[in-house]
Amino acid sequence: MNILIINAHSSKNKGDAGIVLSMIDAIKKHNIDCSIRIHSRFPEIDNEFYEEQVTSCVDNVSIDPDTSKIEKIGSVLRLLPYLKNLRKIKSDDYEWADVVVSCGGGFLLSHRFSVALMQHLVQIKTAFNYGKPVVIYSQSIGPFYNTYMQKLAKEILDQVDRIFLREAVSKRWLEKIGCSNENVVLVPDSAFSMQEVISPRIDSMMEDIKELHDGPIIGFTVRDWNFPEVKDTHLYRSKYIASIRYAIQHIHQNYKGKVLLMPQVLGPNAFNDDRIISREVLEGIDTRHAELLAFDFHPRELKYLYSKMDMFVGTRMHSNIFALSNHIPTVAINYEHKTRGIMEMLGLHDYVVDISDIEPDSFIQMIDNCWLNRQELRVKLAKEIPFVVEEAELPAQILKVL
């Protein structure tokens, strides 16, 4: 069986890369003789990363935040004819494929008119033109705050063969936009099933850290965020950074702990490079209390690294998934509904805070509760995660049926 994975973003995002790797793991496990190709927005990066063949997504357009309005209008005029059946794309990979799989993630959404959403929808629409079955693989869908984007998304999603959602909020968004597709199933995020690798360099690094610090080690991920649903973005961003700094100081003073800021996402642009905001957070903080691990770890290594933590606090959702997969007690900072949905799926609703609502004192209280309950949380996760991993592989099993 030939399987084409589309809508891949960038392996610089270790969460997105973890999704694709977990899909490959599960697909090959349940479809032993299959061949896989990948279509990516950044093939020049991803072709060096994956063992499978990676080429550009069809009719690739720029999604850089600094793209001018004229360029964006040009992209819209270029993509719209494909979505309206006025033009068709030729692709040997779509012709080759037996099944087309839209990879896991959270990219089918629009806060406003969105060229990026159109780009993703064109990838799926091309599969229809070739008469190929299409699977949406454990995605978050929505929100849709633009009426026209809702209409475009509905037209495409109504036609796919299977929609696997990774949390219940996405199902409500499908209902809100009037999607009539009845083949919708809730499953855990695919990355729960990603295989990790034992890493000698991480073992050595952790030994060096523990030689200088004999208290608990707490992993953190932070990200820059533009707070698209509020007016005073500077105020909310400042409050977020202040809360993280306060938490670092509190952990040192009260647990004698050290915080390690993790490199979950390194690109493909500066806004999505977590090292930049991590350094901003650490300004004025003693390196004995917290430091940034500014390395380009493979996602399988990162998952192994997170297993070494005593507790985890993550803004990046897949950093939380990597930690939870290893039964690490975790506090999650929710910047899109996907994070809250996944934490609630695990019964961890008491340990998630919305990024727009974060306040230093309440954030500390949540971290303290997680720390106090850490043993019970480890036992809970040890019981539940094996079933979560099994359910996360369900979309891979369906491919054979299609």
Side-chain angles (χ1 to χ4, degrees):
M1 178 165 61
N2 297 330
I3 298 170
L4 175 62
I5 297 175
I6 60 171
N7 299 120
H9 177 55
S10 169
S11 56
K12 290 291 185 181
N13 183 317
K14 307 306 178 179
D16 287 339
I19 287 172
V20 175
L21 290 169
S22 67
M23 290 172 63
I24 293 169
D25 290 345
I27 289 170
K28 289 186 173 180
K29 175 181 176 181
H30 295 285
N31 305 273
I32 296 173
D33 295 323
C34 70
S35 297
I36 298 173
R37 295 180 186 175
I38 301 170
H39 276 196
S40 165
R41 278 174 162 175
F42 299 93
E44 67 283 358
I45 297 172
D46 292 352
N47 199 41
E48 299 295 322
F49 181 84
Y50 298 109
E51 294 180 5
E52 288 68 25
Q53 176 184 313
V54 181
T55 53
S56 177
C57 62
V58 294
D59 212 23
N60 204 353
V61 300
S62 173
I63 46 93
D64 192 294
D66 296 327
T67 302
S68 69
K69 287 185 177 180
I70 292 176
E71 287 178 291
K72 288 178 180 177
I73 292 171
S75 295
V76 170
L77 294 175
R78 181 172 154 187
L79 294 172
L80 196 57
Y82 298 124
L83 294 171
K84 293 301 179 182
N85 291 317
L86 300 174
R87 191 183 306 161
K88 293 184 179 181
I89 294 172
K90 292 183 178 180
S91 168
D92 292 339
D93 288 338
Y94 281 89
E95 182 69 40
W96 164 87
D98 294 307
V99 182
V100 175
V101 181
S102 178
C103 75
F107 45 80
L108 297 180
L109 62 98
S110 64
H111 292 282
R112 54 190 68 84
F113 193 95
S114 173
V115 176
L117 176 59
M118 293 179 69
Q119 165 84 320
H120 284 301
L121 293 176
V122 164
Q123 313 311 306
I124 301 172
K125 179 68 168 60
T126 302
F128 301 157
N129 296 339
Y130 279 88
K132 306 296 182 174
V134 178
V135 173
I136 303 290
Y137 201 111
S138 62
Q139 290 187 17
S140 290
I141 295 177
F144 298 98
Y145 295 126
N146 179 282
T147 303
Y148 189 66
M149 293 290 104
Q150 288 183 18
K151 182 179 178 182
L152 287 179
K154 169 184 159 46
E155 289 175 355
I156 297 298
L157 293 171
D158 278 347
Q159 300 177 64
V160 302
D161 294 84
R162 296 285 193 283
I163 299 178
F164 290 96
L165 301 175
R166 59 188 182 182
E167 29 67 27
V169 180
S170 291
K171 193 169 185 179
R172 293 198 287 273
W173 270 108
L174 287 182
E175 293 167 357
K176 189 171 182 178
I177 68 173
C179 178
S180 60
N181 197 316
E182 296 182 354
N183 294 312
V184 179
V185 179
L186 290 177
V187 294
D189 187 284
S190 175
F192 276 107
S193 68
M194 185 189 73
Q195 300 169 15
E196 66 184 57
V197 295
I198 295 173
S199 170
R201 71 164 169 167
I202 285 176
D203 288 335
S204 176
M205 181 186 68
M206 292 303 298
E207 286 177 10
D208 292 343
I209 290 172
K210 289 183 176 181
E211 279 185 10
L212 301 174
H213 179 82
D214 59 2
I217 305 294
I218 317 296
F220 268 57
T221 57
V222 296
R223 71 152 301 167
D224 218 334
W225 187 238
N226 55 12
F227 296 90
E229 298 175 16
V230 302
K231 290 184 178 179
D232 193 344
T233 57
H234 177 74
L235 172 66
Y236 280 83
R237 185 180 184 276
S238 298
K239 187 174 63 169
Y240 167 61
I241 291 174
S243 297
I244 298 294
R245 285 177 176 158
Y246 188 48
I248 290 171
Q249 293 163 349
H250 177 85
I251 286 167
H252 171 71
Q253 292 168 3
N254 292 272
Y255 314 161
K256 299 188 185 304
K258 178 166 184 173
V259 167
L260 299 180
L261 289 168
M262 307 295 194
Q264 182 73 17
V265 179
L266 308 182
N269 51 45
F271 179 73
N272 285 301
D273 189 335
D274 295 346
R275 293 169 296 187
I276 296 173
I277 190 171
S278 294
R279 292 186 179 104
E280 184 178 347
V281 166
L282 290 175
E283 288 176 4
I285 293 179
D286 194 315
T287 54
R288 292 173 297 178
H289 305 170
E291 65 176 289
L292 168 64
L293 303 182
F295 301 102
D296 188 358
F297 292 115
H298 192 279
R300 300 193 195 276
E301 280 188 298
L302 269 182
K303 190 171 182 178
Y304 180 70
L305 170 61
Y306 296 169
S307 74
K308 304 297 183 183
M309 300 298 107
D310 294 291
M311 190 171 74
F312 202 84
V313 181
T315 310
R316 289 292 187 179
M317 186 188 73
H318 282 96
S319 68
N320 299 329
I321 288 174
F322 291 172
L324 291 165
S325 298
N326 282 298
H327 317 151
I328 306 301
T330 298
V331 171
I333 301 171
N334 175 66
Y335 60 90
E336 288 176 345
H337 67 253
K338 56 188 182 181
T339 298
R340 180 171 292 281
I342 287 168
M343 292 293 282
E344 290 177 351
M345 177 193 71
L346 291 168
L348 300 175
H349 49 275
D350 291 336
Y351 302 102
V352 55
V353 58
D354 288 338
I355 195 169
S356 297
D357 297 332
I358 197 168
E359 298 283 352
D361 290 335
S362 57
F363 186 43
I364 288 302
Q365 185 176 1
M366 188 176 291
I367 289 173
D368 282 344
N369 288 340
C370 186
W371 181 252
L372 290 171
N373 296 318
R374 64 190 182 279
Q375 297 304 332
E376 293 88 341
L377 288 168
R378 280 184 178 273
V379 172
K380 171 184 169 63
L381 290 168
K383 289 180 179 178
E384 294 183 4
I385 289 300
F387 297 103
V388 170
V389 170
E390 184 178 347
E391 291 178 355
E393 295 180 356
L394 177 61
Q397 299 175 47
I398 295 297
L399 298 184
K400 186 181 295 184
V401 177
L402 293 177

